[in-house]
């Protein structure tokens, strides 16, 4: 029997395993696969973390799911319709944390899981998360996948039995070395050991477990990350993982005594041990794509994991090592985001400051709250939440700027015919210098056309860099520019009856509607229902809403426009109502 501690592995190491049977790191040395290569291949699979069911969902959980949803929806806009795109989310239901939470609530673990998993499912339905699968780790299909995966590691000589002695943090479900543990006064005033990172209590554990030969994977992991600088985005997280890998990797205990942890998947052939919940949870990404049936191979590794920074080590070290160990490739991309705090404080049940996402969806509408979180959330650093910020942003960008623009350009008084007006090339020639006597466009108008023409590409680049907030900032800036264009030419002062005014009036409206069509198309991943209403109002059919079909202002570029002369869609009211400052909940929020 071997004895390991969280700090140091004592005793004999197993023979080195060959990683080259099914997987070759050579595929990474040919350079990173950019997202553009991905889209050429077009099959893609996005995942959210699976959520613990010890407590109800909060806005941080919703944020993880929204980032994945927006990335996935944007990918769908880029690829030919019908291209296969998978998107999974779900709940992480096993482990000590859940076992203890159920006991504290006086429930059977399965009851707690059913209850809280249903809350996540309902939240994601309400929030328009477009996942194609919702996995629960208590499902039979998952047990099959985990036990098969375990068998692969075992068959490859990567598991051995040893004595684990060290700290365990049930809240974070992780083993901690002494250096990551500190002492803090507990409820009775005594000093209690807690995790340095999370502040959660830890306890000393000493038991015989199965151990995974994680230490053997340090070099392959370094090779993977050095060969693909985009494997983990944003870059600082990639760098962090490489720094972690500068240190020795201790082997990892991957099971617990069943007498201590009964709520989990038993080790195949050894009922006295339960599989470590992180190994169990990570395999969910394979279960969803049909593992161990061969079909999973068409999805792996075209996978993009979206995760919070607190679970980086599990996804960027343990998971790729486990995959390599089982003869598979690491995931294609790991997108990492930071956390939401509330009024400057960490969100926590004990502080009583947990923000309920369903209340927010109710108050700000689904599209409004989605827009807020994705526009304000910056993956590289923590962001602070407070109600006034939401109101200010949504009123200014969705209600006033975007809604106002649509209203100005489609209102009956300005466009009584309800038709997508014609573009006059003599008024707005493609060459600024070639304008004849009817030329009316100014330098700023050309700047607007050029900004909106390059917007889809710019937005795609921001999505590739996991900077959805920048994509939205770019859209918002073009909306402002378009409002400036309309303001400059004041179409309400022009007269449809005048042969001099009419072609220019039509052109101003045509350009503004074309800009709105681009904004509506690009906003679909973030505000799907608002974008749908906007595009429907412009008369854009469902087959004309992909990036491939965009063809912005084709008349300006000398091509026919399918929209010119088309009837606009029916008037459906205000695009995004201003959040009335007199709402009672807001007054209350101001006072507190
Ligand atoms: N069950 C594990 C994940 C297993 S994945 C194989 C877990 N669950 S969790 O419910 O604690 O967290 C799920 C996600 O929510 C993580 O990505 C985490 O970073 C994210 N968030 C939790 N609190 C958060 C904030 N306050 N802000 C933003 N996201 C946060 O970890």
């Amino acid at each position: 029997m071997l004895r390991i501690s969280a700090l140091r592995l004592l005793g004999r190491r197993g023979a080195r395993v060959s990683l080259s049977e099914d997987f070759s790191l050579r595929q990474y040395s040919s350079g990173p696969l950019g997202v553009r290569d991905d889209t050429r291949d077009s099959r893609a699979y996005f995942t959210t973390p699976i959520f613990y069911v010890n407590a109800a969902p909060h806005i941080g959980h919703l944020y993880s799911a929204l980032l994945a949803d927006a990335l996935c929806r944007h990918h769908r806009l880029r690829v030919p319709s019908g291209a296969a795109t998978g998107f999974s989310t779900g709940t992480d239901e096993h482990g000590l944390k859940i076992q203890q939470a159920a006991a504290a609530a006086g429930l059977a673990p399965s009851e707690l899981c059913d209850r809280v998993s249903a809350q996540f499912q309902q939240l994601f339905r309400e929030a328009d998360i477009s996942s194609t699968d919702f996995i629960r780790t208590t499902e039979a299909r998952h047990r099959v996948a985990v036990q098969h995966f375990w068998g692969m590691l075992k068959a490859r000589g990567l598991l051995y039995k040893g004595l684990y002695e060290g700290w365990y943090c049930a809240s974070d479900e992780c083993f901690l070395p002494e250096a990551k543990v500190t002492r803090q006064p507990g409820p009775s005033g005594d000093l209690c050991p807690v995790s340095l990172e999370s502040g959660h209590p830890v306890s000393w554990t000493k038991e015989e477990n199965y151990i995974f030969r994680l230490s053997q994977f340090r070099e392959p992991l370094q090779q993977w990350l050095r060969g693909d600088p985009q494997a983990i985005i944003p870059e600082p997280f990639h760098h962090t993982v490489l720094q972690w890998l500068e240190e020795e990797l201790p082997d990892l205990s991957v099971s617990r005594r069943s007498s201590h942890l009964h709520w989990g998947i038993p080790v195949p052939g050894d009922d006295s041990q339960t599989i470590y919940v992180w190994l169990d949870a990570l395999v969910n990404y394979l279960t969803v794509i049909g593992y161990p049936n061969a079909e999973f191979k068409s999805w792996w590794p075209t996978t993009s994991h979206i995760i919070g920074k607190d679970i980086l080590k599990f996804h960027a070290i343990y998971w790729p090592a486990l995959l390599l160990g089982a003869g598979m490739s690491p995931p294609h991309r790991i997108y990492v985001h930071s956390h939401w705090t509330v009024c400057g404080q960490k969100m926590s049940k004990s502080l009583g400051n947990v923000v309920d996402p369903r209340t927010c969806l109710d108050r700000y509408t689904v599209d409004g709250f989605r827009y807020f979180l994705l526009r304000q959330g910056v993956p590289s650093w923590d962001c602070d939440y407070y109600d006034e910020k939401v109101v200010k942003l949504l009123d200014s960008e969705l209600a006033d700027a975007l809604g106002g623009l649509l209203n100005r350009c489609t209102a009956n008084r300005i466009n009584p015919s309800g038709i997508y007006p014609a573009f006059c090339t003599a008024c707005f020639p493609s060459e600024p210098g070639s304008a004849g006597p009817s030329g009316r466009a100014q330098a700023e108008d050309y700047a607007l056309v050029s900004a909106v023409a390059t917007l889809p590409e710019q937005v795609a680049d921001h999505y590739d860099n996991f900077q959805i907030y920048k994509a939205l900032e770019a859209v918002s800036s073009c909306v402002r520019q378009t409002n400036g264009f309309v303001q400059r030419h004041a179409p309400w002062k022009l007269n449809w009856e005048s042969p001099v005014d009419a072609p220019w009036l039509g052109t101003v409206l045509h350009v503004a509607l074309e800009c709105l069509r681009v904004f509506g198309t690009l906003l679909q991943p973030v505000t799907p229902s608002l974008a749908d209403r906007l595009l429907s109002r412009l008369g854009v059919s469902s087959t004309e809403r992909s990036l491939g079909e965009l063809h912005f202002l084709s008349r300006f570029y000398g091509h026919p426009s399918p929209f010119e002369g088309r009837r606009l869609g029916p008037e459906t009211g205000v695009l995004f109502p201003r959040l009335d400052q007199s709402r009672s909940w807001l007054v209350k929020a101001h006072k507190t």
Side-chain angles (χ1 to χ4, degrees):
M1 185 198 297
L2 299 178
R3 176 190 171 90
I4 66 158
S5 82
L7 275 178
R8 220 151 64 82
L9 175 74
L10 304 169
R12 171 181 64 86
R13 292 256 167 83
R16 282 204 165 263
V17 284
S18 156
L19 301 178
S20 58
E21 277 169 50
D22 304 321
F23 169 72
S24 162
L25 281 168
R26 260 178 294 133
Q27 61 181 291
Y28 292 100
S29 55
S30 60
L33 292 173
V35 172
R36 301 225 185 284
D37 295 335
D38 239 14
T39 50
R40 217 174 297 141
D41 181 15
S42 83
R43 182 166 273 227
Y45 168 41
F46 297 85
T47 72
T48 75
I50 49 171
F51 300 90
Y52 285 131
V53 290
N54 60 308
H58 60 56
I59 56 166
H61 301 134
L62 178 59
Y63 180 56
S64 268
L66 280 178
L67 286 166
D69 188 46
L71 279 185
C72 179
R73 284 176 183 267
H74 187 261
H75 177 83
R76 290 187 192 125
L77 281 187
R78 289 162 96 157
V79 296
S81 72
T85 306
F87 174 21
S88 74
T89 185
T91 39
D92 188 354
E93 306 190 2
H94 287 137
L96 204 54
K97 181 182 176 100
I98 308 304
Q99 186 178 301
Q100 289 175 350
L107 296 170
S110 63
E111 272 178 280
L112 178 71
C113 293
D114 288 349
R115 194 177 286 182
V116 183
S117 181
Q119 291 177 10
F120 275 98
Q121 291 176 53
Q122 186 173 353
L123 170 67
F124 292 164
R125 253 195 316 275
E126 285 176 11
D128 240 340
I129 301 297
S130 61
S131 47
T132 52
D133 200 342
F134 188 100
I135 180 166
R136 300 183 57 186
T137 52
T138 45
E139 288 174 61
R141 62 171 172 158
H142 183 61
R143 172 192 276 245
V144 171
V146 172
Q147 292 191 329
H148 185 89
F149 191 83
W150 181 278
M152 294 300 286
L153 297 178
K154 184 119 201 289
R156 290 168 161 253
L158 293 169
L159 300 176
Y160 61 91
K161 262 196 154 175
L163 186 72
Y164 176 79
E165 191 170 359
W167 295 105
Y168 191 78
C169 176
S171 297
D172 304 337
E173 294 284 16
C174 71
F175 303 95
L176 290 170
E178 185 64 44
K180 293 278 171 69
V181 173
T182 182
R183 305 307 186 269
Q184 265 179 11
S188 58
D190 295 348
L191 285 185
C192 301
V194 297
S195 156
L196 202 57
E197 250 165 51
S198 68
H200 294 138
V202 298
S203 56
W204 189 256
T205 307
K206 182 178 177 183
E207 58 181 52
E208 195 195 8
N209 295 147
Y210 286 91
I211 317 272
F212 170 62
R213 297 189 193 280
L214 180 63
S215 53
Q216 294 195 0
F217 291 88
R218 194 170 141 214
E219 267 175 43
L221 291 177
Q222 286 174 330
Q223 225 183 314
W224 161 54
L225 291 176
R226 289 189 184 132
D228 186 353
Q230 299 229 61
I232 303 173
I233 298 176
E235 197 281 330
F237 292 112
H238 189 98
H239 182 73
T240 302
V241 177
L242 274 171
Q243 260 182 336
W244 287 340
L245 289 169
E246 291 294 308
E247 311 250 314
E248 282 271 307
L249 270 186
D251 283 356
L252 177 70
S253 166
V254 284
S255 72
R256 306 300 306 271
R257 249 188 8 242
S258 310
S259 54
H260 181 61
L261 171 68
H262 59 81
W263 186 239
I265 299 177
V267 166
D270 184 356
D271 278 359
S272 72
Q273 293 276 320
T274 303
I275 295 177
Y276 174 40
V277 65
W278 266 103
L279 193 159
D280 168 338
L282 289 161
V283 172
N284 94 82
Y285 301 131
L286 296 179
T287 307
V288 165
I289 51 175
Y291 182 87
N293 298 325
E295 67 188 86
F296 88 89
K297 290 186 179 155
S298 64
W299 289 101
W300 198 269
T302 60
T303 309
S304 297
H305 294 314
I306 289 81
I307 59 160
K309 64 180 182 180
D310 54 321
I311 53 176
L312 180 58
K313 180 182 64 190
F314 302 97
H315 284 82
I317 293 189
Y318 296 176
W319 182 225
L322 287 164
L323 285 163
L324 289 170
M328 297 164 70
S329 312
H332 175 49
R333 289 277 174 274
I334 302 177
Y335 294 103
V336 190
H337 66 80
S338 300
H339 284 181
W340 282 90
T341 54
V342 175
C343 302
Q345 280 184 310
K346 190 176 166 177
M347 229 185 316
S348 87
K349 244 191 333 191
S350 53
L351 288 172
N353 64 351
V354 174
V355 180
D356 171 15
R358 290 183 61 199
T359 309
C360 296
L361 294 173
D362 258 12
R363 280 181 182 171
Y364 307 120
T365 75
V366 171
D367 286 303
F369 199 55
R370 286 176 62 108
Y371 185 83
F372 170 77
L373 286 180
L374 293 171
R375 170 82 168 89
Q376 290 286 312
V378 178
S380 300
W381 55 82
D382 288 353
C383 300
D384 196 34
Y385 176 89
Y386 52 94
D387 289 314
E388 285 91 336
K389 201 165 164 182
V390 191
V391 174
K392 217 169 142 195
L393 179 85
L394 299 185
D395 277 354
S396 106
E397 294 194 358
L398 292 188
D400 296 347
L402 186 66
L405 179 63
L406 178 69
N407 187 42
R408 276 168 133 187
C409 303
T410 53
N412 190 44
R413 65 182 180 287
I414 205 146
N415 185 356
S417 66
I419 300 284
Y420 214 102
F423 177 86
C424 163
T425 47
C427 300
F428 204 147
S430 52
E431 290 296 327
S434 70
S438 4
R440 307 277 282 265
Q442 305 167 5
E444 289 123 304
D445 305 335
Y446 285 94
L448 168 72
V449 168
S450 143
V452 178
T454 52
L455 186 62
E457 188 65 23
Q458 223 186 317
V459 163
D461 286 345
H462 291 317
Y463 270 85
D464 289 348
N465 295 324
F466 198 40
Q467 292 177 317
I468 299 174
Y469 70 102
K470 280 202 181 169
L472 292 175
E473 197 176 284
V475 172
S476 173
S477 152
C478 283
V479 171
R480 268 199 311 277
Q481 245 179 303
T482 314
N483 268 316
F485 166 80
V486 173
Q487 193 66 32
R488 202 160 46 245
H489 298 298
W492 49 89
K493 290 187 185 158
L494 300 172
N495 183 356
W496 280 114
E497 306 303 325
S498 150
V500 180
D501 282 358
W504 178 235
L505 172 52
T507 303
V508 170
L509 293 184
H510 182 101
V511 171
L513 293 185
E514 280 293 277
C515 293
L516 275 163
R517 192 167 63 80
V518 171
F519 306 148
T521 304
L522 295 176
L523 284 173
Q524 291 176 98
V526 173
T527 54
S529 121
L530 176 141
D532 173 43
R533 276 180 286 121
L534 196 166
L535 293 171
S536 299
R537 178 70 176 117
L538 300 180
V540 182
S541 74
S542 57
T543 55
E544 295 169 322
R545 297 178 177 192
S546 69
L547 293 177
E549 294 299 315
L550 202 44
H551 312 301
F552 168 62
L553 206 57
S554 45
R555 295 277 284 106
F556 176 81
Y557 296 102
H559 305 292
S561 157
F563 296 99
E564 208 172 67
R566 188 187 289 188
R567 176 150 294 285
L568 294 179
E571 155 79 281
T572 47
V574 178
L575 184 68
F576 190 86
R578 273 186 74 84
L579 295 156
D580 185 353
Q581 299 281 325
S582 67
R583 281 192 193 178
S584 55
W585 56 264
L586 190 62
V587 172
K588 228 165 64 198
H590 272 299
K591 283 185 185 150
T592 51

